[in-house]
Amino acid sequence: MSAGTAAARAETPAARPAPPADSAAGPVVELSGIEIGFPGVKALDGVGLRLMPGEVHALMGENGAGKSTLIKALTGVYAIDAGSIRVDGQEHRFSGPAESQAAGISTVYQEVNLCTNLTVAENMLLGREPRRFGRIHTRAMNRRAAEVLARLGLDVDPTSTLGSHPIAVQQLVAIARAVDVDAKVLVLDEPTSSLDTDEVRVLFDVVRSLRDQGVAVLFVSHFLDQVFELSDRMTVLRNGRFVAEHRTAEITQLELVQEMIGRELEVLERLDRQPADPAAPAAEPVLKVVGLGRSGELEATDLALHEGEVVGVAGLLGSGRTELARLLVGADVADRGEVQVRGRTRPWRSPRQAIDAGVAFSSEDRRAEGVVGDLTVADNMILALQATRGWLRPVPQRTKDELVRRYIEALDIRPADPNALMRNLSGGNQQKVLLARWLITEPRLLVLDEPTRGIDVGAKAQIQQLVAELAADGMAVVFISAELEEVLRLADRVVVMRDRRKVAEQVNDGLEVSDVLRTIAGAGESAVALEVVPDSEEAPRA
Amino acid sequence: MPDVRALLRSSLVWPVVALLALVVLNVVVNPGFLSVRLQDGRLYGSVIDILRNGAPVLLVALGMTLVIATRGIDLSVGAIAAISGAVACVQIAGSNQESAAGTAIVAMTTALAVAVLLGLWNGFLVSVLGIQPIIATLVLMTAGRGLAMLVTDGQITTVTNPTFKLVGAGFFLAVPVAVLVALVVFGATALLTRRTALGMLIEAVGINPEASRLAGVRSRTIIWTVYVFAAFCAGVAGLMIASNTSAADANNAGLWIELDAILAVVIGGTSLAGGRFSLAGTFVGALFIQTLATTIPSIGIPAETNYLFKAVAVIAVCLLQSPQVRSALAARRTTPSRAKAGAPA
């Protein structure tokens, strides 16, 4: 699979034809001054977007930048508060998705919205089946579907059941359905998020052939490499505002990431944390993974985690940060590679096995994967320890009271009431309770995925401080965060993820945000990424 | 005042109020309702009857409470009760010492072992194969009566064994044995769930299965255990029912008892969405159901309409528990001037 990605990157510059000049044809869609507000929030503020026929246009921005809202304005799901939407020069006011579709705008969403128990042809022509004598003319329907599929170069039997195909093919059928409505504009919202490298290839071929037939494609993706490979032009949004429009050929990945994040490459103040003893890594790692990976989620990855060391993981959303964490802690089961605990290979198929080996995991999705809302703070804290003891050996009430009191005090949890219901606590305090849940199990390795997301500044600083102290006491910590400053403040080593691969591992001897940003943006942009990738050569690949 | 408000917010208050209302109604219609008299060393009275007849429902509801707390449901308990009664009766009837105490004990042990096996089957379907509980237990709900028929050869098997008779119809220290058994199981369940960590782990699995899995809880074992426990309780209930009539009726023993049990659990304030459970609530709920069933004929309404009244009771209790109605009521209490906003339930 990595070969596929490499090939893709190699052909990137050559494969992209120069976009037609602006003057050759006017935009087929022109949005200007779009404003949409929700109670208390201005989701879009004066945003513009132009889509040219025969061009793939990428819409870029971090989470919450307004990409989805803008797409929903274009497809008629949201009504706009101000601004104008022009299709072929004609002003439209969409009051529903049907009107947008009638104007020639088709959308394929991230989740496939088709009927898996119908045939491919039935799905493609659902609601507009060719009829004869008042009944559906199945032969004509299959013929029509076959024509469209052939036009897209897809080898799919129109009479087969949709559910019998993998998600990737279903996605392509969804595109075929969208195209069949004589779409002038095709909106693809994260179409590749559940596809593997080869499937992405097929999808891109289809998108290119549509582009060459004159369709304007709006492409939304978190994968920078894919965006640079496929798109001709891009629009960048940040915090609900328009930042810039570029020809893809005229911007580097680094510049793009800077525009998305909205930060100049300023030098950050160095931080107070002492780096781990350089001699320490010579000791046997607490946990070592070799070639660990999972199809479609993470390519084979090597990583060694040592006592007293904080390893930061950086990368954009969808780069594989969370996938790496989940494989490290047995939350997902790897389909390749192995896990070694203190030098011995261990089965690693459930969180329980990881916990028994001294590995603790705080998930990025606090609400869904951490908080047990209707239990008390005390029960939430004790849960992991109790689970390892089994139900027959309850943690003695006195021990429990003491542990809970100690951690409420040490982590400054408020309210300081062990019997408060967990769901009534603020996000920051819930996070602290979850940290306490794991610290009580006295883990050797603590994996923290976005431990400071969505919590207030004070709690954030306390958690960072705690991580530094834990490492100083000899715990190995994996610290994953979207905030690079935070990662650099704490980490002894930084692992950079991109496109579900580990692309670099750098010792944090004064790394700066700009260095990491450059690595995140792409290997071709700088030498930094090539600097240190220590383990990858020695590891046998599956 | 704050104490009253806290009391009103507690989930136990409405079931208790409903039960008390029923009792008051009964006392009005029949002033002797609460009187209990001692005769021949046994207690008699309407209240004692309600307790004795309600014992099987209470037992089944205890098991159901734990199952529901894990986000599950067990529809097969009625069928398991029938099978348990059938196994015990057929074994006693087939023995050459039909009235010996040993025969009864062996038969009842066998019956409970069969019930536990059936619980293992339910738990296997739900926790290992991942079949939705309502479907998984529907299998045994429908097939179980057929199994009971096979055991009894389609006949109503009658037995004469004084030891067996004791379980459903006997008295110990003037109190019906069935009531004592139900109370002992109730107490044991309370101890088992609240003195060990089982209750907390059951609740954690029911509230947030994924968080529990990531915290290392062996949810498969927990879920399996509660289905086995529910089947065990149903088995004991089946013995009581068969013992009370000294007969195994494969068709009618424990018929619809699963619905009464679910009702008792819901009335007792345990949410069908899983999570926090209240054994005390279930206790009150089971008493409420049984009292309701006794009240209806005694105040001169035909017994066939029993189900209608149960339905009304369910709707009322569910409304009282729904967040919307509760907040409407709360708004009404705190701002009487805007009483129109809150619709009384």
Side-chain angles (χ1 to χ4, degrees):
Chain A
M1 212 187 299
S2 47
T5 318
R9 198 166 297 114
E11 76 180 86
T12 305
R16 187 166 56 233
D22 288 3
S23 53
V28 56
V29 168
E30 187 161 16
L31 279 66
S32 55
I34 302 289
E35 286 184 23
I36 291 183
F38 299 116
V41 196
K42 198 148 204 181
L44 289 179
D45 189 2
V47 171
L49 176 70
R50 307 183 300 156
L51 302 181
M52 308 290 175
E55 257 189 45
V56 177
H57 193 114
L59 187 57
M60 303 303 297
E62 289 258 287
N63 265 15
K67 290 174 303 192
S68 306
T69 315
L70 187 60
I71 288 178
K72 285 180 175 159
L74 176 61
T75 55
V77 177
Y78 292 156
I80 55 174
D81 297 340
S84 73
I85 299 176
R86 288 168 179 279
V87 181
D88 280 338
Q90 250 190 323
E91 174 127 13
H92 284 267
R93 280 244 159 211
F94 300 138
S95 58
E99 291 181 25
S100 165
Q101 242 172 51
I105 298 169
S106 282
T107 314
V108 178
Y109 291 102
Q110 189 170 2
E111 308 293 330
V112 181
N113 295 314
L114 293 178
C115 312
T116 47
N117 52 347
L118 297 183
T119 68
V120 169
E122 282 165 344
N123 268 296
M124 287 174 60
L125 291 145
L126 196 64
R128 46 176 198 275
E129 300 89 349
R131 285 164 190 273
R132 192 169 59 171
F133 311 130
R135 297 172 48 191
I136 292 175
H137 190 358
T138 311
R139 270 219 317 264
M141 182 170 71
N142 289 338
R143 203 163 49 231
R144 173 99 186 95
E147 278 169 23
V148 177
L149 291 169
R151 201 178 110 203
L152 298 180
L154 292 176
D155 183 23
V156 179
D157 178 4
T159 63
S160 56
T161 312
L162 185 70
S164 67
H165 296 291
I167 297 291
V169 174
Q170 295 185 21
Q171 192 108 43
L172 292 169
V173 170
I175 292 176
R177 173 184 163 78
V179 172
D180 184 55
V181 221
D182 289 325
K184 289 187 284 247
V185 179
L186 178 62
V187 181
L188 299 174
D189 188 3
E190 292 281 357
T192 59
S193 57
S194 49
L195 308 188
D196 71 25
T197 320
D198 294 334
E199 294 168 337
V200 168
R201 202 108 307 280
V202 180
L203 181 104
F204 280 12
D205 287 343
V206 168
V207 173
R208 287 199 189 94
S209 91
L210 285 171
R211 175 192 66 191
D212 297 342
Q213 290 162 30
V215 177
V217 181
L218 181 62
F219 178 68
V220 181
S221 173
H222 278 114
F223 298 106
L224 286 187
D225 281 353
Q226 292 181 359
V227 166
F228 274 81
E229 183 189 343
L230 188 65
S231 71
D232 305 299
R233 194 187 290 272
M234 55 179 66
T235 294
V236 183
L237 304 182
R238 188 173 67 236
N239 296 333
R241 291 168 185 275
F242 174 87
V243 177
E245 188 201 84
H246 300 281
R247 301 277 194 87
T248 305
E250 293 166 0
I251 182 174
T252 63
Q253 294 203 8
L254 178 59
E255 287 162 349
L256 175 64
V257 170
Q258 285 175 26
E259 281 189 359
M260 284 164 58
I261 298 179
R263 194 189 317 278
E264 295 302 313
L265 297 185
E266 75 231 23
V267 178
L268 278 147
E269 60 177 302
R270 264 314 288 166
L271 312 139
D272 44 0
R273 191 167 177 266
Q274 295 297 319
D277 182 1
E284 189 150 57
V286 173
L287 187 84
K288 184 176 177 185
V289 300
V290 181
L292 193 73
R294 183 174 155 98
S295 181
E297 295 192 355
L298 185 73
E299 294 186 21
T301 303
D302 303 327
L303 192 61
L305 304 160
H306 298 273
E307 256 177 31
E309 190 187 33
V310 179
V311 173
V313 179
L316 294 177
L317 196 87
S319 61
R321 323 189 287 241
T322 294
E323 288 78 359
L324 173 64
R326 292 183 65 88
L327 290 178
L328 277 180
V329 301
D332 290 332
V333 179
D335 58 12
R336 69 202 63 168
E338 61 174 35
V339 175
Q340 295 166 6
V341 180
R342 298 198 176 265
R344 292 182 48 195
T345 302
R346 290 262 210 145
W348 212 251
R349 308 191 64 79
S350 72
R352 183 54 185 275
Q353 282 170 338
I355 291 165
D356 288 343
V359 176
F361 170 54
S362 161
S363 160
E364 62 167 346
D365 195 340
R366 203 158 49 223
R367 265 171 57 88
E369 300 182 346
V371 169
V372 183
D374 280 339
L375 288 187
T376 62
V377 166
D379 283 344
N380 267 280
M381 269 193 199
I382 217 79
L383 184 62
L385 177 64
Q386 184 61 65
T388 58
R389 292 169 64 99
W391 63 268
L392 264 177
R393 294 197 302 136
V395 177
Q397 191 64 40
R398 194 135 29 93
T399 318
K400 180 174 168 179
D401 288 346
E402 203 209 301
L403 280 171
V404 170
R405 193 157 11 92
R406 191 197 315 159
Y407 278 99
I408 283 181
E409 202 173 304
L411 302 184
D412 189 23
I413 291 168
R414 291 182 206 162
D417 174 9
N419 296 318
L421 281 190
M422 185 71 165
R423 65 178 143 90
N424 294 336
L425 268 61
S426 71
N429 283 302
Q430 285 182 347
Q431 185 66 57
K432 289 182 193 168
V433 172
L434 296 181
L435 281 174
R437 174 190 293 174
W438 292 114
L439 297 180
I440 285 174
T441 68
E442 298 177 351
R444 286 200 286 270
L445 169 64
L446 182 60
V447 178
L448 302 172
D449 192 1
E450 295 278 8
T452 61
R453 180 196 283 169
I455 66 181
D456 63 78
V457 182
K460 201 175 232 177
Q462 285 171 330
I463 287 173
Q464 291 173 1
Q465 184 61 36
L466 177 71
V467 168
E469 286 168 13
L470 290 170
D473 290 346
M475 198 180 288
V477 181
V478 173
F479 191 90
I480 302 174
S481 173
E483 289 182 39
L484 288 179
E485 291 87 347
E486 191 178 57
V487 172
L488 291 178
R489 179 170 302 140
L490 290 167
D492 302 305
R493 268 186 301 151
V494 179
V495 169
V496 179
M497 306 294 295
R498 172 155 39 88
D499 294 350
R500 293 171 180 154
R501 286 194 307 130
K502 178 174 119 177
V503 293
E505 186 174 323
Q506 297 164 276
V507 175
N508 184 12
D509 49 2
L511 276 180
E512 288 177 11
V513 170
S514 57
D515 303 330
V516 180
L517 266 184
R518 228 171 263 133
T519 317
I520 288 174
E525 306 292 336
S526 98
V528 180
L530 306 172
E531 203 174 68
V532 200
V533 189
D535 298 37
S536 58
E537 276 105 292
E538 68 187 39
R541 298 267 169 179
Chain B
M1 275 325 270
D3 288 339
V4 174
R5 199 168 288 162
L7 192 68
L8 282 174
R9 242 184 277 120
S10 123
S11 57
L12 207 54
V13 63
W14 292 111
V16 170
V17 166
L19 181 61
L20 287 180
L22 263 187
V23 171
V24 168
L25 179 67
N26 271 294
V27 171
V28 168
V29 173
N30 167 17
F33 179 74
L34 288 176
S35 70
V36 172
R37 66 210 148 77
L38 191 65
Q39 191 180 322
D40 305 335
R42 298 174 175 189
L43 291 170
Y44 286 97
S46 307
V47 176
I48 299 298
D49 285 344
I50 287 173
L51 287 175
R52 198 180 60 155
N53 296 331
V57 175
L58 174 59
L59 278 174
V60 172
L62 286 174
M64 191 69 79
T65 306
L66 300 190
V67 169
I68 285 177
T70 64
R71 293 191 176 183
I73 197 136
D74 190 345
L75 297 181
S76 69
V77 283
I80 292 176
I83 293 173
S84 158
V87 168
C89 286
V90 166
Q91 208 173 9
I92 292 171
S95 159
N96 45 19
Q97 291 175 295
E98 205 191 317
S99 54
T103 310
I105 290 169
V106 170
M108 288 192 286
T109 313
T110 316
L112 291 180
V114 170
V116 165
L117 270 181
L118 295 172
L120 283 170
W121 164 254
N122 278 337
F124 173 74
L125 292 184
V126 174
S127 70
V128 179
L129 298 189
I131 300 174
Q132 287 178 0
I134 195 167
I135 302 299
T137 56
L138 194 60
V139 172
L140 199 52
M141 179 190 184
T142 46
R145 299 244 165 230
L147 275 178
M149 293 286 261
L150 278 180
V151 173
T152 59
D153 251 346
Q155 307 294 317
I156 293 182
T157 311
T158 52
V159 293
T160 43
N161 181 311
T163 313
F164 185 59
K165 181 90 185 160
L166 209 60
V167 175
F171 286 80
F172 178 73
L173 296 177
V175 183
V177 173
V179 174
L180 290 176
V181 170
L183 287 178
V184 165
V185 175
F186 175 79
T189 312
L191 284 181
L192 193 71
T193 52
R194 295 306 183 195
R195 286 296 157 137
T196 72
L198 187 62
M200 193 260 271
L201 294 180
I202 287 174
E203 290 182 337
V205 168
I207 296 165
N208 192 336
E210 182 60 12
S212 305
R213 185 182 82 95
L214 290 176
V217 178
R218 290 195 203 279
S219 51
R220 179 179 289 180
T221 317
I222 301 248
I223 290 175
W224 209 333
T225 309
V226 296
Y227 281 93
V228 171
F229 179 71
F232 174 80
C233 289
V236 177
L239 291 180
M240 272 181 195
I241 295 166
S243 153
N244 198 23
T245 54
S246 283
D249 180 347
N251 276 323
N252 295 312
L255 192 62
W256 306 132
I257 200 171
E258 58 276 350
L259 301 188
D260 279 350
I262 294 170
L263 212 53
V265 174
V266 172
I267 288 175
T270 301
S271 161
L272 283 177
R276 297 306 288 253
F277 63 86
S278 163
L279 292 175
T282 297
F283 186 87
V284 176
L287 282 184
F288 176 81
I289 299 272
Q290 193 60 42
T291 311
L292 186 68
T294 318
T295 307
I296 286 157
S298 78
I299 60 175
I301 300 171
E304 300 83 71
T305 56
N306 200 342
Y307 290 110
L308 181 68
F309 282 89
K310 276 186 194 168
V312 172
V314 175
I315 293 173
V317 171
C318 293
L319 279 179
L320 284 173
Q321 288 177 355
S322 91
Q324 283 89 344
V325 173
R326 282 185 151 224
S327 60
L329 284 175
R332 192 185 150 86
R333 269 200 302 274
T334 48
T335 54
S337 56
R338 279 191 285 150
K340 271 171 282 176

